[in-house]
Amino acid sequence: MFEGEFAGLDAIYQTGKILVPKPLKAFSYGKTYCLAMEHKEIGSLENGTLLGEQLADLHLDNINLIRNKQKNSFVGSENSDREPETRFGFPVRTSCGFIPQNNQFTKTWEEFFARKIDDQLAIIEREYHDMKPRQLWNQFLPKISSYFEGQEILPSLLHGDLWGGNAGECSSGPIVFDPAAFYGHHEYDLAIATMFGGFPSSVFKAYHKKIPKERGFENRQQLYQLFHYLNHWSHFGGGYKSSCMSILKSL
């Protein structure tokens, strides 16, 4: 049950770009599933600037590996022993909340993200018998490519569920945990970071000093927030329906 979270924590840990509790072992004891990890005393986030810088470094890590390989300059580079991931997805299933995520690799971000939305809509249809979100999404799909027009989207290793409750501060600095990791568009991680209380503005200011906003950023943020509102509808019920419908109608 915790194999996906173990793999996500380990992938982030191996980059050395942002602090996570080091995962030790995922195991079961009878019907109880467990994840053992390094102990950290975690309090509220204090250094938002450093978190923003480190999150940008995490997102740039795989992108830099790809670009270095394209330039045939791996030999002697800092990450010469690591191969980049050129696809979108993740080697194992993870969970966002309690809902398993289909992380089967795709060649394009557009295909991977559209599938994430499709999976959430299937849950809404099955559990709440509501077809209207699917109808609105299908109306939008023919123009989804316009949201990525002019963008070179290379896979970044993402936390995947980076709301304010999944980050804090320990004696070593900012720390993140409880990921739903996969390789995707770096902007995706910022969408939930502005929801449900969000993070201080210092996080985003520091992040965008390293990764500036590109044209269409705000529209894509709304698109990516749609996944999280649908996911919350799937988890917690129709209280999130209005937010989902508002975004779908505005796309």
Side-chain angles (χ1 to χ4, degrees):
M1 182 176 183
F2 284 111
E3 289 82 0
E5 183 160 353
F6 180 97
L9 283 170
D10 187 59
I12 296 171
Y13 180 84
Q14 293 299 329
T15 69
K17 301 300 183 182
I18 193 169
L19 187 61
V20 294
K22 182 180 180 180
L24 303 176
K25 187 177 180 64
F27 61 98
S28 61
Y29 183 77
K31 294 184 179 180
T32 301
Y33 296 90
C34 306
L35 175 63
M37 67 184 81
E38 173 187 21
H39 174 74
K40 292 285 188 182
E41 293 285 348
I42 301 175
S44 299
L45 177 67
E46 297 177 6
N47 194 337
T49 296
L50 184 56
L51 177 62
E53 292 171 348
Q54 292 176 341
L55 181 62
D57 289 340
L58 173 67
H59 290 167
L60 289 170
D61 183 62
N62 190 65
I63 291 175
N64 288 336
L65 290 176
I66 292 172
R67 288 175 174 163
N68 286 341
K69 188 167 186 177
Q70 289 172 343
K71 295 175 182 177
N72 297 316
S73 60
F74 259 136
V75 176
S77 70
E78 179 182 354
N79 294 311
S80 60
D81 60 334
R82 296 168 56 214
E83 282 293 315
E85 179 54 70
T86 59
R87 302 165 297 173
F88 298 90
F90 203 61
V92 299
R93 277 186 177 267
T94 55
S95 294
C96 193
F98 60 71
I99 297 176
Q101 302 297 299
N102 178 2
N103 290 324
Q104 184 176 354
F105 283 109
T106 65
K107 292 183 178 180
T108 70
W109 168 244
E110 184 179 317
E111 179 184 358
F112 184 85
F113 179 73
R115 188 179 67 201
K116 284 181 73 67
I117 297 295
D118 187 71
D119 289 346
Q120 288 292 330
L121 293 173
I123 296 172
I124 300 300
E125 292 166 0
R126 183 176 68 248
E127 299 296 328
Y128 300 99
H129 311 290
D130 195 330
M131 299 297 295
K132 186 61 176 178
R134 169 82 66 186
Q135 294 169 2
L136 292 172
W137 177 250
N138 287 344
Q139 291 173 17
F140 165 73
L141 269 179
K143 61 179 182 180
I144 190 173
S145 295
S146 67
Y147 276 60
F148 308 112
E149 190 174 0
Q151 305 294 307
E152 182 190 22
I153 299 179
L154 298 175
S156 293
L157 179 59
L158 306 181
H159 178 284
D161 192 18
L162 194 59
W163 68 289
N166 284 344
E169 193 100 10
C170 67
S171 60
S172 302
I175 186 169
V176 299
F177 43 88
D178 197 18
F182 63 92
Y183 288 90
H185 188 198
H186 65 269
E187 293 177 357
Y188 178 92
D189 255 353
L190 302 182
I192 195 171
T194 60
M195 299 165 62
F196 314 123
F199 288 94
S201 60
S202 57
V203 173
F204 305 102
K205 184 177 180 180
Y207 181 93
H208 288 302
K209 279 187 176 180
K210 291 199 168 192
I211 306 180
K213 293 181 183 180
E214 297 191 56
R215 182 174 59 86
F217 172 83
E218 285 76 15
N219 288 338
R220 289 188 295 275
Q221 286 294 283
Q222 185 181 47
L223 183 63
Y224 297 156
Q225 285 180 350
L226 174 62
F227 168 82
H228 295 292
Y229 280 122
L230 287 170
N231 190 47
H232 276 67
W233 184 357
S234 299
H235 276 84
F236 306 116
Y240 291 93
K241 176 179 178 177
S242 62
S243 296
C244 297
M245 298 302 288
S246 177
I247 292 176
L248 283 164
K249 290 175 182 178
S250 68
L251 293 175

